[in-house]
Amino acid sequence: MTIEWQTLHHEPSLPGLYARAATRRKITGTTLPDSGLRCAVEVDGKRLAAYRKVCGFADDGLLPPTYPHILAFALQMQLLTAKEFPFPLLGLIHLSNRIRVLRPMGGISRAQVSVRVHNLQPHPKGATFDLLTTLDDQLGPLWEAESRMLCRGVKLEGEAVEQTWEPTLPLAQVAQWNAPTDIGRQYAKVSGDYNPIHLSAASAKLFGFPTAIAHGLWNKARTLAALADHLPKANLEVTVHFRKPVRLPSEVSLFASAAGSSGELRLIGAGDLEHMVGNWQPVA
């Protein structure tokens, strides 16, 4: 498939995109657009410092491995609220996320972000697609990510297959932390992601959740911050599968295999409730 790229001259404005998302509640088709968006973005030092603080990353002179998601968020919002995109943004469920750090992400003040969607597949609860995001600097590809999203209620032809993955290596507890009641609001301020399910119990209940839940990408970022001494700084691929949401407030425990170029992880809550599982390895 040939992608038709549109280059933006500045980052989209989020308030208008949220207003657009709030008015899009219906499924309008079953075909993904064959277009993508590109935009040059600036790395703001104050915003980066606030992100590190909220997610637990030390300032080692490198962008945190999850930070390009923040640089790309407005572009992702514009793509997923466009008329050509067939599914309502509110209600999409983030099933898994894979990032690849291709080179050390140091000394970056400006880069190009690209976003597109592909790989529409039937799922037992609807349909999934992949949101692809890349970050390039003057030397070429620097970072890339795939977020698998589920839209309930979509009916596609073909056999629905739900993929599962479980850790197989010995895991030991390496960290424990509290996810406070307001972590959704804290993360929203540094990420721009003001999805109501993360902000308060009252707003989450409008979407069927008894309490607010933590952002999945905050769970992943907080995990990678805790595993900083376990992981290489580049030539790194980290995949996580989101299981049960982290209800706020909660205490969670992180289990991981030994430090090295590859390994596995598991994030659990009270009663051995599994919130997230995943693995890391060199980029294929």
Side-chain angles (χ1 to χ4, degrees):
M1 180 178 68
T2 301
I3 302 300
E4 191 174 309
W5 291 101
Q6 178 185 358
T7 300
L8 306 184
H9 299 296
H10 55 80
E11 292 184 62
S13 172
L14 283 174
L17 296 177
Y18 274 109
R20 188 188 299 176
T23 60
R24 290 277 306 275
R25 297 299 180 93
K26 294 182 179 180
I27 297 168
T28 58
T30 55
T31 303
L32 296 177
D34 56 0
S35 58
L37 299 176
R38 289 172 171 164
C39 186
V41 298
E42 305 284 345
V43 177
D44 181 273
K46 290 184 178 179
R47 188 182 186 191
L48 174 57
Y51 178 86
R52 285 191 176 112
K53 183 177 180 180
V54 169
C55 298
F57 287 105
D59 185 356
D60 60 358
L62 303 174
L63 291 186
T66 48
Y67 193 70
H69 279 297
I70 307 305
L71 297 175
F73 182 71
L75 215 59
Q76 294 171 345
M77 282 282 292
Q78 176 142 329
L79 183 72
L80 298 180
T81 57
K83 291 181 180 179
E84 297 79 15
F85 185 71
F87 310 138
L89 175 60
L90 293 179
L92 292 180
I93 299 169
H94 198 172
L95 297 181
S96 65
N97 174 267
R98 174 168 56 196
I99 62 174
R100 300 182 184 94
V101 182
L102 306 177
R103 293 184 281 116
M105 296 195 294
I108 301 169
S109 60
R110 183 178 175 86
Q112 178 178 264
V113 171
S114 304
V115 297
R116 65 183 180 95
V117 291
H118 83 150
N119 194 30
L120 187 64
Q121 298 288 339
H123 185 275
K125 296 180 180 179
T128 62
F129 66 92
D130 292 340
L131 172 63
L132 305 183
T133 306
T134 60
L135 188 73
D136 292 69
D137 65 4
Q138 305 94 317
L139 300 177
L142 184 64
W143 177 98
E144 57 191 30
E146 298 173 8
S147 292
R148 179 149 297 176
M149 313 298 293
L150 168 66
C151 182
R152 295 178 186 267
V154 180
K155 295 182 180 180
L156 298 178
E157 294 183 1
E159 184 178 355
V161 178
E162 188 170 9
Q163 297 180 342
T164 60
W165 185 89
E166 299 293 341
T168 59
L169 298 176
L171 307 181
Q173 184 171 340
V174 296
Q176 187 175 50
W177 61 82
N178 290 312
T181 303
D182 68 342
I183 195 60
R185 297 189 293 275
Q186 290 186 48
Y187 186 77
K189 288 180 181 178
V190 300
S191 68
D193 186 353
Y194 284 88
N195 189 322
I197 64 176
H198 304 303
L199 303 181
S200 70
S203 60
K205 286 177 182 177
L206 297 175
F207 293 86
F209 294 90
T211 67
I213 62 174
H215 293 75
L217 286 176
W218 179 79
N219 292 330
K220 183 172 185 178
R222 184 67 184 83
T223 292
L224 296 190
L227 292 176
D229 294 336
H230 273 62
L231 306 175
K233 301 299 183 183
N235 188 28
L236 171 67
E237 176 177 299
V238 186
T239 303
V240 297
H241 305 267
F242 301 113
R243 299 287 168 81
K244 298 295 184 181
V246 175
R247 295 183 180 181
L248 302 177
S250 284
E251 184 175 74
V252 296
S253 299
L254 174 63
F255 291 77
S257 56
S261 61
S262 61
E264 297 177 347
L265 62 91
R266 184 171 180 245
L267 187 69
I268 66 169
D272 208 32
L273 182 65
E274 191 169 65
H275 297 301
M276 187 176 76
V277 297
N279 69 305
W280 71 90
Q281 62 188 19
V283 176

